[in-house]
C-alpha cells in the first residue's frame, strides 16, 4: 500500500516520456508545405515580384521555422533590395540551424561585401573553403565579390569629408 503512489508516479512518468517522442518529427524533416512555399517564393523573386516573394517565404518560415532554404531565399531578396544588414541577419539565422551551410556562408559573405565589411567577408571565404575542402562554386563567387569590392555608394558614404574651417 505504501508503494502504490510511488509506483503510479513512476508509471505515469514513463508513459509520458514514451509518448512525447512519438508525436514529434525528426529535425531534418521539413514540412512539405514550407518547401512548396519556398519554391513559390523563389519563382516570384525570379519574376521580380519581391513583396509577394517575401510574403511566401515568411509564410514558409511560419509553417516550419527550421527551413534554412527560406532564410537563405529571404536573405537573397534583401540583397536584391539593397538591404545588406537584413540579409546578414537572415543568413545568420540559417547558420544557427546549420553552421556549415556553404550557401549561407557564401551569401553572408557577399552581403558583408555589399555592406563594406570586406575583412569579415574574407573570414567567411576561409570558412567556405574549409567546408568545401576542394573548389566549389560558392567559394569562387564569394572570392570574385571580395575582389570586386564594395559598391561605390558604400565607399562614398565611408569617405572622410574635407575639414571645414571654423568661422569665428
Amino acid at each position: 500500500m505504501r508503494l502504490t503512489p510511488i509506483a503510479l508516479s513512476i508509471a505515469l512518468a514513463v508513459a509520458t516520456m514514451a509518448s512525447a517522442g512519438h508525436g514529434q518529427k525528426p529535425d531534418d524533416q521539413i514540412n512539405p508545405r514550407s518547401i512548396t512555399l519556398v519554391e513559390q517564393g523563389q519563382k516570384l523573386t525570379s519574376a521580380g515580384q519581391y513583396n509577394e516573394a517575401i510574403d511566401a517565404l515568411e509564410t514558409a518560415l511560419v509553417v516550419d521555422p527550421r527551413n534554412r532554404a527560406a532564410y537563405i531565399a529571404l536573405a537573397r531578396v534583401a540583397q536584391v533590395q539593397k538591404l545588406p544588414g537584413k540579409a546578414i541577419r537572415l543568413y545568420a539565422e540559417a547558420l544557427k540551424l546549420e553552421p556549415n551551410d556553404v550557401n549561407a556562408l557564401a551569401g553572408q559573405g557577399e552581403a558583408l561585401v555589399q555592406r563594406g565589411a570586406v575583412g569579415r567577408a574574407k573570414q567567411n571565404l576561409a570558412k567556405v573553403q574549409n567546408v568545401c575542402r576542394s573548389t566549389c562554386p560558392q567559394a569562387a563567387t564569394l572570392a570574385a565579390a571580395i575582389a570586386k569590392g564594395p559598391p561605390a555608394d558604400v565607399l562614398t558614404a565611408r569617405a572622410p569629408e574635407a575639414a571645414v574651417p571654423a568661422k569665428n
Side-chain angles (χ1 to χ4, degrees), residues 15-102:
T16 303
M17 285 188 286
S19 65
H22 181 68
Q24 295 179 351
K25 293 187 294 187
D27 284 341
D28 60 347
Q29 186 178 357
I30 303 297
N31 188 319
R33 175 79 176 127
S34 181
I35 294 170
T36 303
L37 287 165
V38 169
E39 291 169 356
Q40 179 185 357
Q42 290 170 337
K43 287 177 186 174
L44 290 166
T45 301
S46 297
Q49 298 175 336
Y50 302 121
N51 290 332
E52 293 83 357
I54 290 169
D55 290 343
L57 294 167
E58 286 177 347
T59 304
L61 287 173
V62 169
V63 171
D64 195 341
R66 298 168 298 146
N67 192 341
R68 282 191 331 261
Y71 284 112
I72 293 170
L74 267 173
R76 290 199 175 122
V77 172
Q79 277 183 274
V80 170
Q81 293 179 323
K82 301 204 183 309
L83 300 170
K86 183 175 183 179
I88 292 166
R89 183 183 56 80
L90 289 164
Y91 284 124
E93 290 296 324
L95 290 169
K96 283 181 188 175
L97 296 171
E98 175 56 54
N100 292 326
D101 188 329
V102 178

Side-chain angles (χ1 to χ4, degrees), residues 84-86 88 110-118 120 150-151 154 158:
K86 183 175 183 179
I88 292 166
E110 291 174 27
L112 287 165
V113 170
Q114 189 179 11
R115 188 150 193 201
V118 178
R120 288 182 55 201
V154 173
R158 292 178 181 242

Side-chain angles (χ1 to χ4, degrees), residues 99-156:
N100 292 326
D101 188 329
V102 178
N103 292 320
L105 285 167
Q108 187 181 47
E110 291 174 27
L112 287 165
V113 170
Q114 189 179 11
R115 188 150 193 201
V118 178
R120 288 182 55 201
K122 288 179 181 177
Q123 292 173 352
N124 273 37
L125 177 60
K127 289 178 188 176
V128 169
Q129 290 170 336
N130 187 33
V131 171
C132 285
R133 302 216 187 271
S134 65
T135 57
C136 61
Q138 294 89 344
T141 304
L142 179 54
I146 291 171
K148 182 179 175 185
D153 57 345
V154 173
L155 293 175
T156 305

